[in-house]
Amino acid sequence: MGCCCTKQRVDHKDPAVLASQTYFNISEIEALYDLFKKLSSSIIHDGVISKEEFQLGLFGSSEKRSLFADRVFQLFDSKNDGVIEFGEFVKALSVFHPAAPQAQKADFAFRLYDISQRGFIERGEVREMILALLNESDLVLCHDIIEVIIDKTFEEADSKGDGRIDPEEWQEFVARNPSLLLRNMTIPYLKDLTTQFPSFKLTSGIED
Amino acid sequence: KPVSMNAFELICRSQSFNLDSLFEK
């Protein structure tokens, strides 16, 4: 088992392999490795990004709790071992590449919002996300308004009217208004990493 | 204004998860 894990880690760090699996070219993956190194050594220099390091990168604080940051971290951590390795980092960021298909972005967003991870989004999950949003921002909404927003959400997205949004309904819902519903799913910086970030070196190889 | 939005539009507009900040420091 140990050999298998070691091999997997090496493969994940191979820029050519990652380039073939993502929307990044080899130079961009090497540039991303510089960002990864910075994030993964911000608290403990161990070659992986912990949740605290991820929060530090996002918010400038490792203490700030956020439901959405937690969910994004969980989705980046595809092996679900509590840390983000470089391969996981690159593959997850690829979804946020401007060239990634809308359906792929919508799928990631669906999994992000499917808090209970049961394969559909229910009213309780939507309410939990709105409450988290209010808790994490200065926005104040009364209970009745929150319920109106949830009603509106399901009127628009739950086309089958069964009280939950399934992946098919979600894709149709997003396709009707992608600019509003997927606006956080594209990171413009990823379009041309190597010129946007001249401080990122185009190095000969990715070190261990 | 928020009442005219659905929940997901509200979440997106609030920038609750904006990964741009990973690249801004």
Side-chain angles (χ1 to χ4, degrees):
Chain A
M1 292 297 283
C3 291
C4 172
C5 291
T6 302
K7 182 176 184 299
Q8 204 166 18
R9 285 177 78 101
V10 171
D11 285 345
H12 280 174
K13 287 183 177 178
D14 184 333
V17 173
L18 287 172
S20 71
Q21 298 170 337
T22 66
Y23 294 97
F24 300 113
N25 62 36
I26 291 175
S27 296
E28 289 168 335
I29 287 170
E30 291 179 337
L32 280 176
Y33 191 65
D34 276 4
L35 173 64
F36 179 83
K37 277 195 297 187
K38 184 178 162 187
L39 293 170
S40 65
S41 61
S42 60
I43 297 177
I44 300 173
H45 195 109
D46 56 2
V48 291
I49 300 174
S50 66
K51 186 184 282 187
E52 290 74 21
E53 287 170 330
F54 192 67
Q55 290 169 177
L56 186 60
L58 275 182
F59 306 124
S61 164
S62 61
E63 303 292 322
K64 181 173 176 179
R65 297 304 310 267
S66 159
L67 171 69
F68 297 99
D70 283 354
R71 290 295 299 136
V72 172
F73 182 87
Q74 287 168 2
L75 291 176
F76 271 56
D77 175 20
S78 58
K79 285 199 269 182
N80 196 30
D81 58 1
V83 293
I84 301 171
E85 296 172 9
F86 183 57
E88 292 174 321
F89 184 69
V90 174
K91 289 176 187 173
L93 279 180
S94 179
V95 177
F96 292 81
H97 193 287
Q102 179 180 298
Q104 193 177 355
K105 294 175 185 291
D107 174 67
F108 189 100
F110 182 86
R111 289 185 288 130
L112 176 75
Y113 296 143
D114 179 15
I115 297 172
S116 60
Q117 298 173 62
R118 286 186 290 191
F120 41 80
I121 302 168
E122 293 183 296
R123 287 184 69 95
E125 291 168 295
V126 174
R127 186 179 295 107
E128 185 177 345
M129 287 187 279
I130 294 174
L131 293 175
L133 181 159
L134 298 179
N135 193 40
E136 295 166 18
S137 71
D138 297 329
L139 189 61
V140 178
L141 297 175
C142 71
H143 171 81
D144 289 350
I145 296 295
I146 292 172
E147 293 306 310
V148 168
I149 291 171
I150 297 172
D151 287 343
K152 178 178 172 58
T153 303
F154 279 78
E155 282 166 18
E156 293 179 9
D158 178 23
S159 54
K160 294 170 190 163
D162 60 358
R164 60 192 201 182
I165 303 165
D166 64 32
E168 183 185 8
E169 289 170 325
W170 175 257
Q171 288 284 351
E172 291 168 359
F173 175 52
V174 167
R176 290 199 292 274
N177 216 336
S179 61
L180 285 179
L181 298 172
L182 295 179
R183 60 190 294 168
N184 289 4
M185 289 303 305
T186 294
I187 302 173
Y189 295 107
L190 295 176
K191 188 169 177 60
D192 198 357
L193 275 172
T194 52
T195 54
Q196 295 260 11
F197 296 93
S199 63
F200 286 158
K201 292 181 298 182
L202 296 180
T203 53
S204 57
I206 289 176
E207 61 197 55
D208 214 5
Chain B
K1 270 185 179 177
V3 76
S4 66
M5 299 180 199
N6 66 59
F8 301 108
E9 190 180 342
L10 187 64
I11 290 166
C12 287
R13 284 185 184 273
S14 74
Q15 300 287 292
S16 295
F17 69 100
N18 183 353
L19 300 188
D20 288 4
S21 52
L22 288 177
F23 297 82
E24 288 170 348
K25 295 187 177 73

